[in-house]
Structures are given as C-alpha cells and as structure tokens.
Amino acid sequence: MGTRMQPERVLTEYESSGYLSRKTLGEELSEVCRLRPGARAVVATDATLTYEQLDRAITGYARNFLAKGLAKGDQVLLQLPNSAAYVVTLFALMRIGVVPTLLLPSHRRSEVVSLAHELHPVAYIGGRDQLGFDCVEMVEQMDPGSLGIGLIYADSGPERDGDVPRHRLPGLQVGEPSDCPNAVDGATSVDPPHYRDVALNLLSGGTTNNPKIIPRVHEAYAYNAKAAARRCGVDSDSVYMAVLSTSHDFPLANPGILGTLLHGGTVVMCHTAAFDEAFAAIEANAVTMTAIVPAIAEVWNEAWDWYPADTSSLRQILVGAARFEEALGREIISKTGVTIQQGYGLGEGITTFTSLDDPLPVALRTQGKPISSGDELRIVDPQGRCLPAGASGEIIEKGPYTFLGYQGSHASDDSFTDDGFFRTGDRGYLDEEGNLVVRGRVVEQINRLGENVSPQEIEQLLEQLEEIREAAVFGVPDAELGERTVAAVVTESSGLDRRAVLDSFVKRGIARYKVPDEVVVVEAIPLTNIGKTDKKSLRALVSERHADQAD
C-alpha cells in the first residue's frame, strides 16, 4: 500500500515554499470584510449582506452555536440549500473550530447513518425544504439520539424541546457594528482554530454505501480557492452565481463562493440551476460568471433561443464534472459571447482550468492545466510508469492543496503512491502543451448530472431486494442527464419495474440520484468469454428496445 508523507511535513514544505499562508479560512475572510465593509458579499432569497453584515452575522451565529453547547473539535452534519444562511453557518462553524461535513441535498437516511457511525457528530443542521423534501424531518424520524446527535438546527419552522431539541437558525438581521463586535467571545478568542486544523469535510462517492470523508485543511483549502480564482480572473468586481449545490467542491471552492469571497467579489446564491431562476438572477444582479455541468449547459443553450432575459453581463461560464461537447460550446459562445473555461477537479485535491486567453480549440477540447505551479500531474500506466504526451493512463497528482488522506473506514485505502501522489482513479492524457484531457474512469462509474454513481453499489442495493436474483448496472448516453443509469435485472416478479425499485430505495433512505433511471428485465445477465458481465451486449439490447418502441 502506498504510504503518504507525514501531514506536518507536507504542510511545512508548502508553507516554506510560499504556497500556504498560515491563515484559517475565517482569518482570510475577516481581512476582506475589513477592507470592503460596504461592498455586497452575498445575495440570496433569505438575505442580502454586505461584507460588514456578513462578518457580524457570522459572529452572531457563532455565539448562538457556542451557547447551545457546540465546541472546538465537534463534528456536525451540515445539509442546507444554497442560501445566505448556508454561507453564514459554514463560516460560523469554522470560526469556532467546529468541523462541518457537507451533505448534498440529495443525501438520505443511508448516507446520514453511515456518516454518523464514522464521525460521531454531535449536531445536525439542515433545511426544511430542499426541492420539496424535508431533510430535518428525515433525521428526526431516524432517532437521532441513537446516532449520537444531541442537537438539531433547522433553517425554518418552529423550535421544539425534547431529548434532541430542535432550534431554528438565528435570523440574518444584523444590528449596528457596536452591537456585535468581531470577537466571538473571550473563551473562543483564547483558543481559535489553527490554520493546520481541518476546516470542513467534503464527501466523495465510493464503491459502497459509505461516502468517503475528505478532510480539508484551512490554509490548504483557502489556497485552493484563491489559486482557482486567480486562474479564472476573479476580482472584487466579479459577481459569481452558484447554481449547483455549494456542498460540492466545484461551486464551493473552484473558485466558487470561497474563491469569490476571498477576493472581495459578490456571491449570488440560487436554489437550483433551472434556467428561469438562473437567468433572472443574472439579469437582476449583473452576474459575471457561473459554473455548470454539461447537461445544464444543454438546457440553457436551448433556453437562450426564446426565454426573455438580459444575460449580457455574463462574461464567463465554467464547465466541469462531465464530458463537454465542442459543438455545444461553440454554439453557446456564438449566442452569448461568453468565455468558456473547462475544468477538472476533485474534492481530494487537483484542480485544472483552461486559461482566459486560451485559443478556442484548447478551451473546448481540454481541461487545461493545474492552477498552481506547485501541482505535479502525471499520467501513468498500471505499473505506475509515466506515459508520454498523448498516451492515456491514470491521472495521479500531488500539490499544495491536495488532501492528506481519507478519514474513517477509508483511511487505509491504497490512495497514494509510495512517493506521495494521489491516485485519482480517473483516466486521461496530457497533450503536447501540457493540457489535461480527461477520458473517464479507470474503474467504471456513471456520471449522472455531475454525480458519480458506482454501478457496483447500485448492483449490491438491487440484489438486496427479494424479487431480484441478479442485476447489472451500466450507464448510457443521455441528452439531459449526460448519462442515465440503467439496471438490467433477472426476476420472476411480473410487477417489478422502476416504480417498485424507486419505492424500495426511498424506503431504505438511499439518495435519489442512485435510483436507476431505467429498469430492464432480462432472462439472464450475459457474460463475456472470460466470465465477466457483458455490458456491451446489454447496452445494445437497451438501444434495440428503444428503437423498437420508437417505431
């Protein structure tokens, strides 16, 4: 198994080289708040905050959390929709040294239980209306006390006493500066978080029900956000619109809301990526840049033909998380005049982007170059040997902001080479100019609307159903989803269809994005001549059935 260098040594080397600033994310933001107190920081449906108001709101939330018993080192599960309350909550927890783990809105009971067993969180902070789903009610129905959760915060609704009390997040109304000084209180100012402490945990999809827990260190994650912002030209005049869930690394820190705020720009928070909400927000707030996945780009491209909105302020669109067709990019550019920057990134570390001045073929055919001169990117064969330009292999990397290893049950994963490179599990090549071109996964995964879906995991979940004897799961191209998840199942039940599978997954509290988009009943799962599932034949079978239905 590859052994990672000692974290202290790694961080010391990058600090000495000038990459890391020896500051927490909270300290970085506080400096911006002092320099730009009256500038707009966050615009959302629940509040619009200047930098001064943002700083005081963070203080108010931090005091409230302390008063309810949260303390430095505590673990908290955070599952809020895009909102001003999300930004304030995130920074308030980090300010007092509490570590939030960022759950996606789509995560359900299964993920909450596995994370509770791994992290032993003392509190859960969630949203009452996430696209019509009440995440707080979900947790309350799980007997949170049995999971070690002793406190629940909700973003709306009544408070409630009990063994596990429910509190409402404080309001975002802020008073005069003198009413709310910057220091949280005497106790926390004595023992603030250290810049080498874990600021937050991101989650990565794995091959089991358990999400992999990715601890991100304050100074390293701050550098990640700032380096991405520099590559994308973010400055104090930038207005960044978040339409993807900001619990994802891409809209959170690449450059995302963190990179924008640390450069004094404005963050506009949208609940969804629906074109009507997004286009209205662009027009109302003179948005200059946003980040989307290719499936959303397809929808927006069609809407630009007929939807009445002025999106002329939009200068940049960042695209990542899935394959982006060059023809689509050229069409969007011709309609809007925007600059498209493609990127590639992982919650674990490496981020690449094309540059603002790259020629169009580079911008639309590659994922660009690493954002830091301290990044080291290699393409290797299965034996770990470096491959030349143009040859595809596994992408491995290390750099100033690469994480230092998973937490919990995945901590011993064979994720690093002996010389400290992280094995991304992604496949690609470097062109002659050093631009990265990503070609997919070394281990099969389905990229559904930017979410990585593990076929092996879905197969295991399906085969837990009594009606299903055997299952094979695979992805097929889809105009709206990028890839849709198809399950071929062997069953004797005449009533088994996608609705039955959906109902089973919902009852078990499994995230909705893991539910197969299509269920096909077959007499037997075909095998190749070496005994492996013949997914090529299954894809052909699905294609034939669709063709027959069309006729």
Side-chain angles (χ1 to χ4, degrees):
M1 183 182 74
T3 303
R4 187 65 165 129
M5 291 188 294
Q6 291 299 314
E8 294 297 314
R9 178 183 168 190
V10 173
L11 295 171
T12 298
E13 288 181 358
Y14 286 120
E15 288 167 0
S16 300
S17 300
Y19 292 107
L20 306 184
S21 65
R22 296 185 174 91
K23 295 176 184 175
T24 66
L25 278 159
E27 289 170 333
E28 296 271 13
L29 180 63
S30 291
E31 288 186 9
V32 179
C33 291
R34 287 193 292 271
L35 292 171
R36 294 180 54 78
R40 283 191 316 168
V42 179
V43 178
T45 55
D46 55 334
T48 295
L49 302 172
T50 65
Y51 275 94
E52 180 180 66
Q53 291 169 333
L54 173 62
D55 193 48
R56 286 188 275 122
I58 292 168
T59 297
Y61 270 48
R63 285 176 168 169
N64 186 285
F65 294 149
L66 290 167
K68 295 298 189 295
L70 295 183
K72 182 180 178 181
D74 283 343
Q75 297 281 340
V76 168
L77 301 182
L78 179 61
Q79 192 176 25
L80 288 173
N82 287 5
S83 59
Y86 176 96
V87 178
V88 173
T89 299
L90 179 63
F91 275 99
L93 293 171
M94 293 191 297
R95 178 177 286 189
I96 60 177
V98 173
V99 181
T101 294
L102 309 187
L103 278 74
L104 301 176
S106 55
H107 281 145
R108 293 294 182 262
R109 185 170 61 248
S110 174
E111 289 81 13
V112 172
V113 169
S114 68
L115 289 169
H117 290 157
E118 296 269 22
L119 292 166
H120 309 291
V122 301
Y124 169 88
I125 303 173
R128 299 299 306 273
D129 183 4
Q130 305 220 47
L131 299 179
F133 185 80
D134 191 333
C135 292
V136 175
E137 181 181 33
M138 169 190 71
V139 172
E140 289 180 328
Q141 291 177 347
M142 293 167 53
D143 187 12
S146 68
L147 299 175
I149 296 173
L151 178 67
I152 290 176
Y153 271 96
D155 61 354
S156 62
E159 300 197 347
R160 193 181 69 184
D161 294 328
D163 293 337
V164 181
R166 181 211 297 164
H167 301 287
R168 183 168 176 171
L169 286 172
L172 288 166
Q173 305 301 319
V174 289
E176 294 300 318
S178 59
D179 296 335
C180 196
N182 189 47
V184 176
D185 64 17
T188 55
S189 63
V190 171
D191 188 25
H194 192 272
Y195 51 79
R196 289 186 181 179
D197 287 344
V198 173
L200 54 86
N201 293 321
L202 299 173
L203 298 176
S204 174
T207 56
T208 68
N209 285 350
N210 294 351
K212 292 184 179 181
I213 301 164
I214 308 169
R216 298 310 305 259
V217 171
H218 274 278
E219 62 173 346
Y221 207 43
Y223 176 74
N224 188 161
K226 291 191 295 182
R230 285 193 290 270
R231 172 62 60 83
C232 297
V234 175
D235 58 23
S236 59
D237 293 327
S238 297
V239 182
Y240 174 89
M241 180 177 67
V243 297
L244 306 173
S245 168
T246 48
S247 290
H248 274 296
D249 180 58
F250 185 22
L252 177 63
N254 282 296
I257 63 174
L258 296 185
T260 303
L261 291 173
L262 297 187
H263 281 78
T266 301
V267 168
V268 176
M269 303 287 273
C270 288
H271 286 296
T272 72
F275 66 84
D276 51 350
E277 180 184 1
F279 288 8
I282 293 170
E283 182 173 357
N285 299 285
V287 168
T288 62
M289 64 187 303
T290 191
I292 55 178
V293 296
I296 294 170
E298 288 263 13
V299 175
W300 285 16
N301 182 49
E302 293 181 8
W304 266 308
D305 288 333
W306 60 271
Y307 192 79
D310 180 3
T311 62
S312 59
S313 63
L314 193 63
R315 300 197 300 263
Q316 290 165 261
I317 296 178
L318 313 180
V319 182
R323 181 176 175 81
F324 185 58
E325 296 295 336
E326 180 179 354
L328 175 61
R330 289 182 179 274
E331 196 170 337
I332 290 173
I333 291 169
S334 70
K335 289 179 182 180
T336 66
V338 300
T339 296
I340 289 178
Q341 286 186 272
Q342 281 205 74
Y344 163 75
L346 301 170
E348 289 89 345
I350 189 69
T351 298
T352 70
F353 272 113
T354 55
S355 296
L356 289 167
D357 58 355
D358 275 337
L360 214 52
V362 172
L364 298 180
R365 297 173 189 169
T366 83
Q367 282 68 56
K369 298 176 181 177
I371 58 175
S372 170
S373 60
D375 286 324
E376 299 177 65
L377 192 62
R378 294 179 183 173
I379 308 297
V380 298
D381 66 14
Q383 289 71 45
R385 295 172 299 207
C386 288
L387 295 171
S392 290
E394 183 176 10
I395 303 165
I396 67 172
E397 61 85 19
K398 66 178 177 179
Y401 52 91
T402 298
F403 85 134
L404 302 170
Y406 296 110
Q407 182 173 341
S409 60
H410 294 283
S412 60
D413 281 4
D414 188 12
S415 303
F416 292 92
T417 65
D418 290 335
D419 51 351
F421 280 77
F422 175 64
R423 308 177 201 270
T424 68
D426 288 324
R427 183 170 54 86
Y429 67 88
L430 296 173
D431 68 13
E432 294 292 344
E433 286 74 41
N435 294 295
L436 177 67
V437 179
V438 180
R439 287 302 192 195
R441 293 286 294 173
V442 174
V443 178
E444 183 186 8
Q445 283 193 327
I446 300 165
N447 194 314
R448 182 187 186 279
L449 272 178
E451 299 282 5
N452 288 325
V453 177
S454 164
Q456 295 88 351
E457 177 187 354
I458 309 307
E459 289 166 357
Q460 291 171 10
L461 292 170
L462 288 168
E463 289 172 359
Q464 290 169 9
L465 298 177
E466 291 183 4
E467 303 97 321
I468 294 178
R469 296 209 319 267
E470 195 175 359
V473 175
F474 51 95
V476 298
D478 186 275
E480 295 182 357
L481 301 174
E483 285 186 284
R484 72 178 185 277
T485 305
V486 179
V489 300
V490 178
T491 179
E492 295 176 358
S493 172
S494 59
L496 186 77
D497 57 12
R498 183 181 182 274
R499 169 54 61 181
V501 172
L502 171 63
D503 291 343
S504 168
F505 275 43
V506 170
K507 286 179 182 177
R508 287 187 282 171
I510 297 164
R512 288 292 290 268
Y513 71 84
K514 297 180 183 179
V515 178
D517 299 296
E518 183 177 355
V519 175
V520 178
V521 176
V522 296
E523 292 185 2
I525 301 296
L527 301 177
T528 66
N529 57 5
I530 59 173
K532 291 188 175 182
T533 300
D534 188 351
K535 294 189 177 180
K536 182 177 180 181
S537 295
L538 287 172
R539 288 187 178 92
L541 173 64
V542 170
S543 179
E544 289 172 9
R545 291 192 180 186
H546 286 178
D548 291 342
Q549 291 169 0
D551 294 339

